Amino acid sequence: MSRALDPTEPVSGALQPSRPSVRSPGATAQFTTGIGQPLAPVFTAVAVMVLVVLAITYARSADAVAALWGAAGLAVAVWLRTSRGLLYDLSFGGLLATGFAAGNLLAGNSLELTGMFTVANMLEVYLAVLLARRFAPTLNLASVQGACRFLLSAAVIAPIPAAAFASGMLWWMNGADLLDTARTWWFGHTLSIAVIGSFGLAVTRREVARLYVPARAAEAVALLGLLTVLSILVFTQSTSPTGFLIVPVLLLIAVRLRMIGVTAALVIVTLFAVGGAMQGHGLYGTLEGPGRAMVAQLLVLFGYMPMLLVAALLEERDRFSERAKAGQRRAERASEAKSRLLANVAHEIKSPVGGVIGIGELWKAGQLGPISATQAEMAEMLVKTARQVEALAHDLLDVARAESGAVKVDLRPTDVPGVLEDVRRAIALRPDAQGLRLDVISEGDGLVALADSQRLTQVIANLASNAVKYGGAGGVVIFRACKIYDGVRIEVTDRGPGLSPEKQTQLFEPFNRLGLERSTLEGHGIGLALAKRLVELQGGSIGVISTPDEGATFWVELPAA
């Protein structure tokens, strides 16, 4: 069989029989002990022969068609897991055909039926392998998409041509009912590939390694043992409709054991459900004709098979969770490195800037010699610029400490109106606050928050500085304190140009000045980011309410003392 349809598989052939194939990172990348050995096709052919004899002997339902056919699922799973190239495929196909034919002959079928059934079975297996390679090349059942692709292509679609061929031949040879034989074949072989094929693909080295842990192995034995006992009671002893009792156990197995557990559980349930019905046991065994097999098949297909998708969904969730945790660890390491860099830069800046400020002050005061008016003005500008750099260094150091968790807060009962009044007085002394009305409004008594007074003052001062800097055109800045259901709310309101919704989402990002980098307004974009971190360290929250051209209100909520 040509391998050109599967771009994920390497080209290999007779000249390179010992070269291992490079497989995609799904289920095919994992091998159970021994499944990839050269004798796997021989063992598979022998197992197929045994399963064919058992199915024909104990599970015949519609004419010569068996309702439970495990050979197809086994053949598809092993073929997909061990394929190594065109020569291997041809050899495997020949051994499988021999196994199917030998099983039919040992079970007592005539040469005509043996030949017809062998052709039909090989058509089905070949088509299932071809479709699985085309539409589910990774064979990864640990995702909803991968499981759906495999089930739809290999289990649902592949048996249809074989069912039509076999039912047509049986009608021509024996006058068998076309609909009954086609339906029984399709349901039985779909079950085989969906249940046994999925189990064969789910048994990977990684999954088996998980069972090496004694506690997990004991849990798997206990859950599958419970399911076996329950299946015996439901499908061989009870004559009432108690099949729903299987669902909670299957769900528990999906949650605890994931894909390998669910596929093993479905093998157990299918064996007892369909096998019990064919042997005349339980509720479905009391039905007459092919109907008893069909009811049991439908119960497994539509009642229990969806648990395989549940397990796939859980596997996918686990994988996304692992990726998210890995990404979080990388982000934390990057954040730690950034914090260390900021701290180092801040420390390196502070010492030389202090020297520049000292020299500038001496120069401005004329202690380094006579200076002109122009030189005095330049010295003042030098000192002002150096102090801005010094303030930036302090802010960077605070940000680095806050992000690394080095900032300690001393939470005590703090008089919020007193803090607001202190901040108002300090802001009123700034040159850019001249001409602004600064109001403090306290709504109610007992406005005492559980906070660090020093850090809270730093936060409110940052908010007030921004209100003066960006919203001073409105002529007024209002400080308000009020009670909320479980704490104290502080608001700093200005009547400036306001903020668009897009800018509000970026407001507390470090070093983001919202497009004002080229404006004449001084700033570095770290004040609000630092304020947010300091508020969070005190167990509070911070945010903004703003409408363009209508000002902005920054709010802080802290728990009450």
Side-chain angles (χ1 to χ4, degrees):
M1 182 174 66
S2 173
R3 301 287 287 149
L5 290 175
D6 186 4
T8 66
E9 294 287 337
V11 178
S12 58
L15 296 178
Q16 296 173 315
S18 62
R19 182 180 179 181
S21 61
V22 179
R23 295 179 178 267
S24 53
T28 54
Q30 309 289 339
F31 292 91
T32 56
T33 303
I35 197 170
Q37 299 299 321
L39 292 180
V42 178
F43 293 142
T44 304
V46 174
V48 163
M49 179 184 67
V50 173
L51 290 175
V52 168
V53 173
L54 292 175
I56 294 175
T57 304
Y58 297 105
R60 272 184 174 173
S61 174
D63 195 74
V65 176
L68 186 59
W69 191 259
L74 176 65
V76 170
V78 178
W79 197 336
L80 287 172
R81 290 290 298 275
T82 62
S83 180
R84 297 180 179 181
L86 178 60
L87 180 61
Y88 183 91
D89 288 342
L90 293 175
S91 303
F92 201 140
L95 288 171
L96 284 182
T98 302
F100 281 120
N104 276 273
L105 290 174
L106 290 175
N109 279 340
S110 64
L111 289 176
E112 292 81 4
L113 283 177
T114 296
M116 185 273 293
F117 280 135
T118 299
V119 171
N121 279 287
M122 288 306 300
L123 171 64
E124 175 180 273
V125 171
Y126 179 89
L127 188 58
V129 171
L130 186 67
L131 292 177
R133 288 174 174 173
R134 175 62 180 85
F135 296 104
T138 62
L139 304 180
N140 182 17
L141 300 186
S143 69
V144 175
Q145 184 182 37
C148 288
R149 282 173 170 266
F150 174 76
L151 292 177
L152 183 62
S153 60
V156 175
I157 297 177
I160 294 177
F165 172 76
S167 60
M169 292 298 296
L170 287 174
W171 171 80
W172 179 66
M173 296 168 64
N174 301 333
D177 185 277
L178 275 172
L179 181 60
D180 281 344
T181 52
R183 183 176 57 195
T184 302
W185 179 290
W186 185 50
F187 285 156
H189 290 238
T190 294
L191 264 182
S192 173
I193 298 174
V195 174
I196 298 179
S198 297
F199 177 66
L201 295 179
V203 180
T204 64
R205 187 183 297 274
R206 178 183 177 185
E207 295 297 328
V208 172
R210 291 179 180 178
L211 298 179
Y212 291 161
V213 180
R216 194 163 187 84
E219 182 182 30
V221 171
L223 289 175
L224 294 178
L226 173 63
L227 180 69
T228 301
V229 172
L230 190 59
S231 298
I232 293 174
L233 295 176
V234 169
F235 298 119
T236 64
Q237 304 299 319
S238 175
T239 57
S240 56
T242 55
F244 65 92
L245 297 175
I246 300 292
V247 175
V249 181
L250 284 176
L251 183 59
L252 180 61
I253 291 174
V255 171
R256 298 301 304 165
L257 304 180
R258 296 296 193 262
M259 185 62 67
I260 188 173
V262 165
T263 52
L266 288 173
V267 172
I268 295 172
V269 171
T270 303
L271 180 63
F272 284 105
V274 182
M278 294 306 304
Q279 296 303 307
H281 301 305
L283 174 64
Y284 308 119
T286 60
L287 301 176
E288 297 294 334
R292 60 183 181 179
M294 183 185 69
V295 172
Q297 290 170 333
L298 291 175
L299 175 66
V300 176
L301 281 173
F302 298 104
Y304 304 142
M305 280 300 298
M307 287 300 165
L308 191 145
L309 299 181
V310 172
L313 182 62
L314 292 173
E315 293 267 16
E316 201 165 24
R317 186 205 64 177
D318 292 344
R319 188 165 61 254
F320 289 150
S321 177
E322 291 175 359
R323 291 178 182 175
K325 290 178 181 178
Q328 181 181 5
R329 289 192 293 269
R330 289 194 297 270
E332 289 174 351
R333 289 194 295 269
S335 179
E336 292 173 0
K338 181 194 70 176
S339 298
R340 289 194 299 270
L341 176 62
L342 289 178
N344 292 336
V345 169
H347 280 295
E348 293 296 328
I349 289 176
K350 287 174 63 178
S351 297
V353 165
V356 171
I357 292 175
I359 295 174
E361 294 284 2
L362 294 174
W363 184 21
K364 184 175 66 173
Q367 297 182 21
L368 299 181
I371 60 172
S372 64
T374 303
Q375 290 174 331
E377 182 181 356
M378 293 178 61
E380 184 176 355
M381 292 177 58
L382 174 66
V383 172
K384 181 180 178 181
T385 303
R387 291 196 182 280
Q388 291 176 354
V389 175
E390 185 182 40
L392 172 61
H394 282 292
D395 286 344
L396 287 175
L397 192 57
D398 282 339
V399 169
R401 288 172 176 171
E403 291 189 350
S404 65
V407 174
K408 304 299 180 183
V409 292
D410 183 14
L411 300 181
R412 295 182 179 181
T414 301
D415 179 39
V416 173
V419 171
L420 296 184
E421 181 62 27
D422 291 342
V423 173
R424 186 195 71 79
R425 290 176 180 176
I427 293 297
L429 298 176
R430 293 177 44 160
D432 54 354
Q434 300 300 318
L436 288 179
R437 192 176 88 243
L438 306 175
D439 295 337
V440 175
I441 301 175
S442 300
E443 299 178 355
D445 298 325
L447 297 174
V448 181
L450 187 64
D452 185 313
S453 59
Q454 180 182 355
R455 295 300 182 182
L456 180 58
T457 301
Q458 185 178 357
V459 169
I460 303 304
N462 269 336
L463 298 182
S465 176
N466 277 355
V468 171
K469 186 187 304 180
Y470 300 108
V476 61
V477 174
I478 300 173
F479 301 85
R480 178 181 285 105
C482 61
K483 285 186 176 180
I484 55 176
Y485 59 97
D486 61 348
V488 179
R489 181 181 176 99
I490 304 168
E491 296 180 352
V492 179
T493 303
D494 65 69
R495 304 288 172 77
L499 298 163
S500 66
E502 180 183 0
K503 289 184 177 181
Q504 292 179 41
T505 61
Q506 308 170 21
L507 196 58
F508 296 98
E509 296 177 359
F511 307 104
N512 190 340
R513 296 201 61 204
L514 307 180
L516 297 177
E517 293 82 357
R518 299 181 180 274
S519 70
T520 57
L521 296 174
E522 298 175 357
H524 306 286
I526 60 176
L528 290 179
L530 177 59
K532 182 176 186 296
R533 183 58 180 155
L534 292 177
V535 169
E536 291 172 347
L537 288 173
Q538 297 175 77
S541 56
I542 187 172
V544 63
I545 301 173
S546 181
T547 302
D549 301 323
E550 295 184 13
T553 297
F554 286 85
W555 55 265
V556 174
E557 292 182 354
L558 295 168

